[in-house]
Amino acid sequence: LHGVASFYGVDKLKDICAAIVKKEIDAENAAGLLQRAHDALCSELKEIAMEYVISKFDIVSKGEGISNLSHQLLLEILSARP
């Protein structure tokens, strides 16, 4: 939905989608969301997910989703961690 809103320039809907993602993201869905946002070239959602994964890496890294991330995303996460 975010991608469609972005394509058609419906900024309010795009903002609503981003707000929902920020509210609903958690350790179980963050890695999958990050990969999907990356694959869809959705930089706004990727940034939200990346920030979450980095800030909660110790928890997210124990979940199944982390093993499904691309090599490129794993390197991005590791290079961005303090």
Side-chain angles (χ1 to χ4, degrees):
L1 187 57
H2 186 277
V4 173
S6 184
F7 180 78
Y8 287 107
V10 184
D11 291 334
K12 181 135 176 93
L13 180 57
K14 194 171 96 171
D15 294 342
I16 290 169
C17 290
I20 290 170
V21 168
K22 285 180 184 178
K23 181 181 176 199
E24 298 297 326
I25 196 167
D26 61 31
E28 290 184 33
N29 65 20
L33 177 62
L34 175 59
Q35 186 64 59
R36 287 188 299 277
H38 175 77
D39 292 345
L41 304 175
C42 186
S43 59
E44 184 177 5
L45 296 184
K46 179 182 175 185
E47 183 178 329
I48 292 168
M50 183 66 80
E51 287 176 8
Y52 186 92
V53 169
I54 292 166
S55 69
K56 308 279 187 190
F57 185 76
D58 291 340
I59 299 166
V60 175
S61 65
K62 293 178 177 136
E64 292 180 26
I66 200 83
S67 64
N68 296 321
L69 288 177
S70 69
H71 183 71
Q72 177 185 354
L73 283 176
L74 288 171
L75 289 175
E76 283 182 48
I77 292 165
L78 294 175
S79 67
R81 289 189 72 222

